[in-house]
Amino acid sequence: MKKYLSGPMRVAAKLHHAVFLLQKQADALLLQHHAISFMQAMILNIIKHHPDTTQHYIGQCTRFTPGAVSRQIEVLVEKGYVTRTTQTDNRRAQSIKLTQNGAELVDRAFTSLNDQLLHSFSNMNESEQQQLEHAVDRLIGTIDPEYYQFENEKNC
């Protein structure tokens, strides 16, 4: 690996590469077997656990931009995995719900994704995985302190 000015730069570069590889693997698997992207799977999973949610809430949970969330929801509507209805109390907000096909798809997709991740993390024992998770939690808490506050309050 290239020389960096500091240990944190080296770690950041490795974390970035690991996240890139995990997302690339997830996208390839999900596209090949389920015809959805990793981003779409994440959105479907939020909707599954928070029925009748809004695009705004999905954006808060994922940290995706409003435009990105809107585009992905449009694709999911076109594929028949979610429906959108205008809320009666706020005409600017839309409720997002899973269809039966969407509910079945998210379950199949996350089962496949979990199997792949078990393989990807197979060289780490459970204690090492917990240590890594703890370290990443601390890093996220430093960079984006509101992330865990929102996650805990809204149960993302």
Side-chain angles (χ1 to χ4, degrees):
M1 178 164 269
K2 298 175 186 171
K3 291 189 179 191
Y4 295 96
L5 296 176
S6 66
M9 286 183 72
R10 185 176 57 255
V11 173
K14 288 181 179 184
L15 277 172
H16 182 270
H17 187 67
V19 168
F20 171 78
L21 292 174
L22 287 169
Q23 186 169 355
K24 186 177 175 182
Q25 282 183 337
D27 267 330
L29 172 89
L30 292 169
L31 285 169
Q32 180 181 2
H33 296 286
H34 305 286
I36 61 169
S37 69
F38 181 57
M39 185 178 196
Q40 292 164 354
M42 289 175 59
I43 290 171
L44 289 172
N45 194 52
I46 290 168
I47 299 167
K48 174 185 174 182
H49 293 286
H50 301 279
D52 206 21
T53 192
T54 64
Q55 286 183 199
H56 178 72
Y57 181 80
I58 293 167
Q60 287 179 308
C61 286
T62 60
R63 298 298 209 248
F64 298 152
T65 66
V69 172
S70 180
R71 282 188 300 277
Q72 296 307 315
I73 288 178
E74 184 61 36
V75 170
L76 294 170
V77 167
E78 289 172 7
K79 291 182 175 186
Y81 298 135
V82 300
T83 60
R84 280 188 301 211
T85 56
T86 302
Q87 293 183 347
T88 55
D89 59 334
N90 180 358
R91 299 196 60 125
R92 294 180 70 203
Q94 294 184 326
S95 296
I96 314 295
K97 297 180 182 181
L98 284 179
T99 63
Q100 182 64 35
N101 286 342
E104 292 169 2
L105 172 69
V106 73
D107 288 340
R108 287 191 319 269
F110 270 78
T111 297
S112 298
L113 191 55
N114 187 62
D115 291 346
Q116 180 185 36
L117 289 170
L118 286 170
H119 175 73
S120 295
F121 283 86
S122 64
N123 67 340
M124 299 174 73
N125 64 38
E126 191 170 328
S127 175
E128 291 170 322
Q129 291 177 34
Q130 289 172 350
Q131 289 172 359
L132 177 60
E133 181 181 10
H134 179 70
V136 170
D137 283 344
R138 288 179 52 202
L139 180 62
I140 291 170
T142 300
I143 296 168
D144 185 5
E146 294 176 6
Y147 178 78
Y148 289 110
Q149 178 183 356
F150 178 81
E151 186 179 69
N152 291 335
E153 287 174 6
K154 301 293 184 178
N155 196 26
C156 284

